[in-house]
Amino acid sequence: MFLPSSRFLIPHMILKAAWAADVGNEIKVESVLKSMEYSVLAFRDHIERVYESCCNPETLAECSKCNYNDCLTAYPNPQCIDAQKLIESTCSNPDNNCNVIYDKSQTIERIPDELADAPMDNPTDPRVIESVCFSRLAEPYMTKNFIVGHQMYFGSSTGAFRIVPAQHSKICGDYDPRQRPWFVAASSGPKDVVLVLDVSASMINGRRMELAKDAASTIVETLSVADRFAVITFTYDASQIAGERGLIRATDENKEKMKEHINTFTVDRGGQTNFYDAFATAFDTIDLTIWNELTSGCNVAILFVTDAEITAGPDEDQVISLVNKRIQNLETNFNQTTTIFTYSLGQEADYKVTKHLACKTNGIWTPVDDFADDSITAMSSYYKLFASGLGQGGNENWVAWIELYWFVLGGKIGTPAAAPADVRSVTPPLLLGVPAVDMYVDDFEQALGKNASSSTVLERLVVQSTYRCPRIELRQHELEALKFLGGGEMPSNVWANKQMHGNSYSERACCQINITISFGSCNVPPDPLPTALIVGVTFGAFAFILLLLYSIYVLKNLLFNRSSSINESVSVIAPPENLTPSAPPFNPAFSETEDA
């Protein structure tokens, strides 16, 4: 019988043990990921259920003056975060006993400045108000299931954002969930995105170049680590920027570098407009990526941004023929679905060609106003289309993961698990928004039993995000735009109070540890009462004393008159001796005066 020597057996045993440990760790990591995915899918199911009550008059009535805000309102149950978990530099002091406020019992609603266009940062768009009101119905679920350090939040497709725990923002009105990678990743799935930007002479008009650069930077910022992307500029001819060939992974580093390049774009004052070469270069870039096996392997989006008609190269019919042929090649040879999104920049742009091009290639055309401030809304047609497809077929339990980043609350590194929430009673499903739950890298390290490097976790998240490619299969009539269906009278004021209006971040957010919190301030005395209020209170107290003395005088005379006849012409009717005093009738319309 052959027995292997110990010098061969021991290394083999070590490798086998290491392999077994790796397998065991992988099982633990998979368990952590699946647990997070289960949590976010349960959260998604709840969001979809509460939406069914979105338009009830009761829901809208209860929504009035019942929401907390990240900058305007004080919170009902504020706590000061333990300094061992996080020290906010704005609130820190030499004694290390001052930190930031949060409230685990409440959610808050954040609304971007451009949507908060009414007094006291209230929204006027009925769709935004509807999102604020129906998501409020999820508050009990969110506060009950929230685990300290693992934030839960819901980003609406309208731009409203609800999160637990309640906490104040340093910068007010600058957060739009639709611009965050977790939102776009969950609502559109892994994808290859090619941005094709016109830099020809006509783009010098108005704000068109500025709009194009802003839109491109916004789209790049929204991509997740599961995506691949490229940016191409064109005039008479076209070229891929940043010296790249093929699509690159949308890591934070690559996105920042690309945005730097985008900011350097200038108009070619003598340049003409060649659509044919622009599309040929875009498809060549995609083909090269596929042949090099660097594609996401999922859906392809070409975002074509221009303000003009064709002034160079082949004509419109030849461009349409090229695009349809290349789309068909990708479908036949690589089983990849490609959608063309065309954008016409400026009110005076030539819409005819870009609109016709989208129509003839089963794409989507969108006009973009010269004065558009909300670039993500203008450019959102690409992820909304993918979102519609994600709600169908076998895609219902799709969960997205993105690259690691530092959480504001907790001061740790982690990533969210996110999933799209839809209205499934229409076809195709209508995107409500994206619920998400944060997870720390600590969870990975506990599963692995060792430190988890960023690269290790990043690769695991990429695998988790791309192991399944959602299919987008929409019929022609389903490409038509869908609108929110709503009803009832929308509240004009959705905020619970305005106690923090006009306060600085430190006045709103800082607190002293182990001290009862008042008005959310740390060693900041409350504002003195206005002089008019002091005078009013003093006068009211004086008047009350006079009224009390007069009442005693009248009562004394009434009692005296019961047993005497000083004035025979006046009949005094005394109450029955055994009458039991009763409270005034309950008035359901009565309530304490609230801030307007």
Side-chain angles (χ1 to χ4, degrees):
M1 180 178 175
F2 174 76
L3 294 176
S5 68
S6 61
R7 70 174 188 155
F8 293 109
L9 182 60
I10 293 175
H12 173 73
M13 292 175 64
I14 293 174
L15 288 173
K16 186 175 181 180
W19 176 82
D22 287 342
V23 171
N25 289 339
E26 173 59 25
I27 292 173
K28 292 179 182 178
V29 170
E30 184 69 18
S31 175
V32 169
L33 293 171
K34 289 299 181 184
S35 175
M36 289 296 297
E37 291 183 353
Y38 174 82
S39 296
V40 76
L41 290 173
F43 185 17
R44 176 210 62 188
D45 291 344
H46 188 76
I47 289 289
E48 293 180 353
R49 282 195 297 271
V50 299
Y51 178 75
E52 296 174 3
S53 301
C54 68
C55 302
N56 292 350
E58 296 83 2
T59 298
L60 298 176
E62 292 172 0
C63 181
S64 179
K65 301 182 181 181
C66 285
N67 297 275
Y68 293 92
N69 177 279
D70 62 323
C71 289
L72 181 68
T73 60
Y75 306 142
N77 302 297
Q79 299 179 35
C80 210
I81 297 179
D82 188 340
Q84 294 181 350
K85 297 180 180 178
L86 166 70
I87 283 291
E88 167 56 56
S89 59
T90 305
C91 301
S92 63
N93 60 15
D95 297 327
N96 201 31
N97 66 348
C98 193
N99 215 343
V100 288
I101 287 172
Y102 76 144
D103 187 342
K104 296 184 292 184
S105 72
Q106 297 293 328
T107 62
I108 57 162
E109 191 78 29
R110 297 180 187 174
I111 298 178
D113 275 340
E114 60 269 18
L115 301 178
D117 48 359
M120 291 297 163
D121 297 332
N122 277 283
T124 58
D125 186 331
R127 295 171 300 175
V128 178
I129 298 173
E130 181 185 84
S131 295
V132 171
C133 292
F134 92 75
S135 66
R136 177 180 168 272
L137 300 176
E139 183 172 85
Y141 180 93
M142 295 173 70
T143 55
K144 177 182 178 181
N145 291 280
F146 163 68
I147 301 173
V148 175
H150 296 253
Q151 300 178 123
M152 296 181 71
Y153 40 93
F154 171 70
S156 165
S157 61
T158 64
F161 176 75
R162 187 173 293 277
I163 185 172
V164 64
Q167 54 196 294
H168 290 284
S169 296
K170 279 189 175 181
I171 303 175
C172 300
D174 75 329
Y175 191 88
D176 189 330
R178 300 169 299 175
Q179 297 185 16
R180 305 307 303 154
W182 58 268
F183 184 98
V184 177
S187 60
S188 59
K191 54 199 167 293
D192 292 341
V193 177
V194 181
L195 276 161
V196 185
L197 305 178
D198 184 354
V199 293
S200 64
S202 61
M203 290 289 287
I204 200 171
N205 297 325
R207 297 179 57 239
R208 295 176 190 178
M209 195 65 224
E210 180 185 345
L211 281 173
K213 290 163 66 173
D214 181 54
S217 293
T218 300
I219 294 299
V220 169
E221 180 60 34
T222 63
L223 299 175
S224 76
V225 70
D227 302 324
R228 295 271 179 172
F229 76 109
V231 179
I232 291 169
T233 59
F234 74 97
T235 55
Y236 181 81
D237 55 8
S239 60
Q240 186 175 350
I241 70 167
E244 302 288 346
R245 295 190 68 228
L247 277 66
I248 59 175
R249 187 177 296 286
T251 62
D252 286 343
E253 181 181 2
N254 286 338
K255 291 192 295 184
E256 286 304 313
K257 288 180 179 179
M258 189 62 73
K259 287 191 294 182
E260 290 175 5
H261 284 289
I262 290 171
N263 287 333
T264 65
F265 287 176
T266 57
V267 172
D268 181 351
R269 293 178 179 270
Q272 295 180 298
T273 311
N274 186 338
F275 283 21
Y276 191 96
D277 199 57
F279 277 108
T281 303
F283 281 105
D284 288 345
T285 302
I286 295 167
D287 287 347
L288 177 64
T289 304
I290 293 174
W291 282 113
N292 289 334
E293 298 182 352
L294 296 176
T295 175
S296 70
C298 290
N299 302 292
V300 179
I302 297 179
L303 282 58
F304 187 82
V305 183
T306 183
D307 74 327
E309 60 185 1
I310 297 170
T311 60
D315 63 18
E316 176 185 341
D317 290 338
Q318 290 173 290
V319 172
I320 292 172
S321 176
L322 168 75
V323 172
N324 280 324
K325 180 180 178 181
R326 300 295 291 267
I327 288 175
Q328 186 60 50
N329 286 344
L330 288 172
E331 177 70 29
T332 302
N333 298 329
F334 306 108
N335 196 32
Q336 287 192 272
T337 302
T338 305
T339 306
I340 306 298
F341 300 86
T342 64
Y343 302 89
S344 298
L345 294 184
Q347 292 171 314
E348 298 179 1
D350 189 311
Y351 291 174
K352 181 180 177 183
V353 177
T354 48
K355 189 174 183 179
H356 192 222
L357 175 61
C359 179
K360 291 297 184 180
T361 59
N362 282 341
I364 293 180
W365 166 76
T366 305
V368 182
D369 189 271
D370 279 306
F371 302 100
D373 292 321
D374 188 4
S375 58
I376 190 61
T377 297
M379 302 292 290
S380 63
S381 57
Y382 97 94
Y383 78 74
K384 285 185 177 179
L385 173 72
F386 289 162
S388 296
L390 275 176
Q392 293 184 311
N395 302 325
E396 288 87 349
N397 290 330
W398 162 254
V399 175
W401 297 84
I402 67 165
E403 192 169 356
L404 303 174
Y405 64 92
W406 287 97
F407 295 143
V408 174
L409 184 64
K412 294 184 178 182
I413 194 170
T415 184
D422 300 297
V423 181
R424 301 183 188 274
S425 58
V426 296
T427 303
L430 176 68
L431 179 68
L432 289 173
V434 174
V437 180
D438 282 344
M439 183 183 76
Y440 287 154
V441 169
D442 295 2
D443 298 317
F444 276 101
E445 293 181 342
Q446 290 175 9
L448 292 170
K450 59 183 179 181
N451 291 336
S453 67
S454 294
S455 60
T456 300
V457 177
L458 176 62
E459 288 305 315
R460 192 61 183 82
L461 294 177
V462 171
V463 171
Q464 193 72 16
S465 293
T466 57
Y467 79 95
R468 180 164 61 93
C469 181
R471 292 288 297 173
I472 309 300
E473 297 177 348
L474 299 176
R475 294 182 293 272
Q476 180 61 40
H477 74 275
E478 294 173 347
L479 295 175
E480 299 297 324
L482 293 171
K483 297 181 179 180
F484 273 83
L485 301 176
E489 183 177 351
M490 298 294 177
S492 59
N493 182 10
V494 298
W495 306 129
N497 62 66
K498 56 181 182 181
Q499 288 180 253
M500 296 297 166
H501 177 62
N503 287 4
S504 67
Y505 174 70
S506 60
E507 291 170 328
R508 289 184 283 112
C510 296
C511 55
Q512 193 164 337
I513 298 170
N514 298 324
I515 299 296
T516 301
I517 297 172
S518 175
F519 301 104
S521 60
C522 182
N523 299 324
V524 178
D527 294 334
L529 292 173
T531 302
L533 180 60
I534 295 174
V535 172
V537 170
T538 304
F539 177 78
F542 180 68
F544 174 76
I545 293 172
L546 289 178
L547 180 62
L548 180 63
L549 292 174
Y550 177 73
S551 300
I552 294 172
Y553 170 77
V554 172
L555 181 62
K556 180 179 179 182
N557 279 282
L558 286 173
L559 292 174
F560 176 76
N561 287 337
R562 286 182 59 193
S563 57
S564 64
S565 300
I566 297 176
N567 188 343
E568 298 293 343
S569 64
V570 177
S571 299
V572 179
I573 302 176
E577 296 292 343
N578 61 350
L579 182 67
T580 302
S582 62
F586 174 69
N587 180 1
F590 174 80
S591 63
E592 294 185 4
T593 303
E594 297 179 289
D595 291 331

